[in-house]
Amino acid sequence: MAAKGPLAGVRVLDFGWAWAGPYGCTLLAFLGAEVIKIEGHRRPDYSRRMSMTTGQAFDNLDQSTVFNDMNLNKLGLAVDLTRPRGVALVKDLVSISDVVMGNMRPGTMEKLGLGYEELRRIKPDIIMCWSSAAGGTGPYRGYVGYAPTFALLGGISHLTRYPDTPPTLLSGSIDARSGTTFGLAALLALNYRLRTGQGQFVDLSSTEAIAVFSGHAILDYAMNGRIEGPIGNEDEAMAPHNVYPCKDADTWITIAVATEEEWRQLVQALGDPAWAQDDRFADGYGRWSHRQELDRHLEAWTRQRTDYEAMAALQGAGVAAVPSLDNRKLYEDPHTRSREVFTRLRHPAIGERIVMGPPWKLATTPAQVIRPAPLLGQHTGYVLQELLGLPEPAAEELRAEGVVYEPEVAVPPA
Amino acid sequence: MADALAGIKVLELGHMVAAPYCAKIMADMGADVVKAEPPEGDPARARGPFYKDLPDRETSALYLYLNTNKRGVTLNPSTATGRSILKDLLAQVDVFVEDTMPGTLEGWGLGFPALKRLNPRLIVASITPFGQTGPYRHYRAYDLNLFHGGGQGHMVRNDALGARPPLTGGGYLAEFDGGMTAAVAVLGALYHQGLTGQGQRLDCSIQEAVMALERAVLTRYPNELFGSATTPLGSRNARSGMSGVQRCQDGWVVIAALEEHQWQGLLRLIGAPDGSARSSPELETHIRNWLAEHTMDEVYHGAEALSVPAGRLQTSKDLLASEQLRAREFFQAVAHPSTGPLPYPTASYRMSASPWRARRPAPLLGQHNAEVYCGWLGWGREELGRLAEAGVI
């Protein structure tokens, strides 16, 4: 039997929506938790319809590749939470679960009769983790947001730009950062429960999940009254430290040098050019002070080479140099190939897909991709009958009355 | 009320951001984290900004932020005695967070099999630029290299950048991604350790941590775009119309009215006719004109009052002044002996039973050598001077 992940035996109910909630649960599922994604069949997860990050729209709810990428390894239950019997069903499920997670607007679960106080009456050691744009307390607690709003509010947009260009929004990774932190918070609570037997409520703010990456800038303001500004690809002290154009169109190599030793290695890799002996480049401060000129010299060298040629030459000499890789190069790269970063699976509605696996390798309790994201309601039958032990007539009644939804056509197991 | 990780002992052999941030997440939640630094200190100590702009290894904002709640010792594992001390420490801890280049631990006689014999419950989390295996495992990389090498540089581009090079994330974003992502695996392994007493080796590649956050975009190439396109640009979706950054009267805002009810809310906000089509030139002009007459706060709060997702630019100063962050006590005062009390960001999660707590400021260099070497390992106090003279600590 294949080894199981470290969270084998942990059951998570995922009321997540879009990316910030669902991705945290996916990380737990990579680690072996049984994650049941709970969706209303009349209001399914938005990323089944479209993605702001990739710009895709999907006509068929089961064919969203983005939903698949962000919900790997989960089981799917479709239940109507506007119906009392749907809510009762979820309560039964809570009584045999460990963690309840989601990221709808704060207060939504309370309105449904599924707030933390109610859930802990059903299961005293339940862990409930809720994620929202600004958090569940404070004057902006009801505010809503997506990745670009968290990026701008969280302070990272201001720092991610050239001094003379507008703030950037950093794409969907911002949601996934909040989602990763969400998974992390659930794990902290699980570890606490393991030692104390107690559950708890965890309230996460997606804005704060981004703000923590600016700790040094926040302290700079507190220490010196200085608002740290954007510096593009440059560094406050290192030079060279930039992104240089290579031979082919829109290809780039990053080069960063911190120490004298690295500088000597760089000069050697460049073939000991005469300009490198210039007094202005004789020490780190001189190089930083004349970094524009230094960059011009380096650029003349990088433009003669492909990004991969430049990487090989510079890394061979011990210099930190890596291309700015796009998705084609990352997929075809010998290193990501060697580490099996991408893996193939079969999705029942989409067909064969290449997905990215877990971002770590655990030697004893492996994290792995075991199944695609669920079709809407794909595992409703499993939840009703195997987990909750409902007899078939009772399950059929719930289906017939539209309390739950299950695809009519039996889906062959992936 | 207790700490989430009370009783967990962690040894950190980390520098700069990624591994220290991973260990900080645990220290903030009550793990007893001992940070082992080379005798000259973590290079983060030499990075600015410094308190009152006076360079001092005890006042780097970056170091203070990332190492609050830890204890600190000095240790030089390139000496034989240093390696022996490291081994004695590892016999006593639950988790080892380290970022040495692959092969280094083995060269010290502390490869995973040896550590497992020494301490079967030990979790060894190795956080390196490209992981423990593969052709680039020995490649060097700083934050800049990893953000771009993980594919995100190509995704922060927008029309305003034109032909300029792809951009790196502000601060040390790729390294934070690496530390944050590794912490998820460490906490998973810790749960398993708590249940079974079993330790294990974790291989955490910062490049893969950066990539994983853009998994939906990265997989578009092999699945859909073979042979043609490269990375699609983020947040430039005509259907969402407004999800790009926009200039307003006093700065920058974003409005992301994706769903239909949000779109209707936006039309109400700006006084546009009901049923206006998304992304028509007239509407875009209308929006631009409306934004030019409104401040960041007016746009942000006005949109949110209509349940339209919105945001405004916030700098470090704005974050410190935010009434929301203040109401949530996101900042807590930590008094370091070299700076006095300063407001530190805590964590984005409020845990009702095991809250974030400031236990101790970041350590002075070698501050806890006596506590750890004499207290844990039983060295005589009079040996500390000799160990320091010999360059061991």
Side-chain angles (χ1 to χ4, degrees), chain A residues 6 17 23 30 46 50 52-54 56 69 105 134-140 143-144 146 149 152-153 155 160-162 164-173 176-177 180-181 184 187-191 193-195 200-205 208-209 212-213 215 217 219-224 226 232-233 235-236 241 243 250 252 254 258 262 308 311 315 318 320 324-328 330-333 335 338-339 341 353-354 356-357 359-365, chain B residues 4 8 21 25 47-50 52-53 59 61 65 130 132-136 139-140 142 144-145 148-149 151-152 154 156-157 160-161 164-168 170 173 176-177 180-181 184-185 187-188 190-192 195 198 200-203 207-208 211-224 230-231 237 243 245 252-254 256 258-259 262 300-301 304 307 309-310 312-314 316-317 319-320 323-325 327-328 343 348-354:
Chain A
W17 175 261
Y23 187 55
F30 282 156
Y46 189 70
M50 67 175 285
M52 177 164 48
T53 294
T54 69
Q56 291 164 287
D69 283 321
R105 190 194 286 235
T137 62
Y140 309 169
Y143 279 23
V144 286
Y146 292 113
T149 68
L152 208 58
L153 288 163
T160 306
R161 55 164 154 167
Y162 294 105
D164 59 343
T165 56
T168 60
L169 298 173
L170 290 105
S171 190
S173 63
R177 287 184 177 91
T180 304
T181 311
L184 199 155
L187 280 159
L188 288 167
L190 274 167
N191 275 285
R193 195 193 63 172
L194 189 64
R195 263 175 294 280
Q200 61 179 310
F201 181 75
V202 181
D203 162 25
L204 182 143
S205 153
E208 294 168 11
V212 296
F213 304 131
L219 285 179
D220 189 15
Y221 187 79
M223 287 174 165
N224 302 308
R226 177 171 46 236
N233 286 312
D235 183 77
E236 66 189 38
H241 187 285
V243 179
D250 199 26
W252 311 86
T254 63
E262 288 168 2
Y308 274 79
M311 171 165 70
Q315 289 283 1
S324 188
L325 295 166
D326 61 25
N327 57 0
R328 179 173 65 83
L330 279 168
Y331 180 70
E332 292 169 352
D333 186 272
H335 186 74
S338 156
R339 287 178 61 80
V341 169
R353 284 293 292 179
I354 290 159
M356 203 187 151
W360 351 258
K361 298 189 192 308
L362 287 74
T364 306
T365 57
Chain B
I8 303 297
Y21 186 59
I25 287 166
R47 295 285 296 181
F50 299 98
K52 298 207 182 297
D53 285 330
T59 67
Y65 173 55
F130 295 97
Q132 298 296 305
T133 63
Y136 303 165
Y139 277 13
R140 292 193 189 206
Y142 292 98
L144 170 81
N145 311 107
H148 288 278
Q152 288 200 25
H154 264 272
V156 293
R157 306 170 86 179
L161 298 182
R164 294 171 80 167
L167 260 172
T168 197
L173 197 52
F176 274 109
D177 290 344
M180 163 185 78
T181 304
V184 174
L187 291 169
L190 192 63
Y191 187 80
H192 180 77
L195 282 176
Q198 199 174 34
Q200 61 184 310
R201 181 84 195 268
L202 311 183
D203 171 5
Q207 181 197 34
E208 284 163 33
M211 290 174 68
L213 299 170
E214 286 291 359
R215 56 179 61 241
V217 175
L218 291 182
T219 53
R220 286 199 72 188
Y221 171 73
N223 287 302
E224 298 156 37
T230 56
T231 308
N237 175 20
S243 61
V245 69
W252 299 94
V253 293
V254 64
L258 259 67
E259 297 185 55
Q262 296 165 346
Y300 175 40
H301 299 296
E304 290 286 355
S307 293
R312 52 154 291 178
L313 182 80
Q314 296 206 109
S316 50
K317 180 184 179 184
L319 287 168
L320 277 162
E323 59 174 349
Q324 176 67 4
L325 296 185
R328 285 172 60 74
S348 57
Y349 30 85
R350 303 292 174 284
M351 303 186 71
S352 64
S354 56

Side-chain angles (χ1 to χ4, degrees), chain B residues 71-74 365-384 387 393:
Chain B
R71 296 197 283 174
V73 298
T74 48
L365 186 60
Q367 184 181 348
H368 303 99
N369 282 352
E371 266 181 48
V372 173
Y373 294 143
C374 307
W376 275 20
L377 303 185
W379 285 81
R381 236 187 141 92
E382 69 283 2
E383 299 299 319
L384 295 180
L387 289 170
I393 66 171

Side-chain angles (χ1 to χ4, degrees), chain A residues 12-17 19-28 74 99-104 127-132 174-190 201-206 209, chain B residues 180 184 187 348-349 351:
Chain A
V12 178
L13 305 184
D14 169 15
F15 290 88
W17 175 261
W19 286 19
Y23 187 55
C25 301
T26 297
L27 292 174
L28 303 182
K74 297 179 188 176
V99 188
V100 174
M101 299 173 75
N103 62 326
M104 287 172 279
I127 294 164
M128 189 174 190
C129 301
W130 215 253
S131 165
S132 57
I174 291 293
D175 261 345
R177 287 184 177 91
S178 179
T180 304
T181 311
F182 197 38
L184 199 155
L187 280 159
L188 288 167
L190 274 167
F201 181 75
V202 181
D203 162 25
L204 182 143
S205 153
S206 291
Chain B
M180 163 185 78
V184 174
L187 291 169
S348 57
Y349 30 85
M351 303 186 71

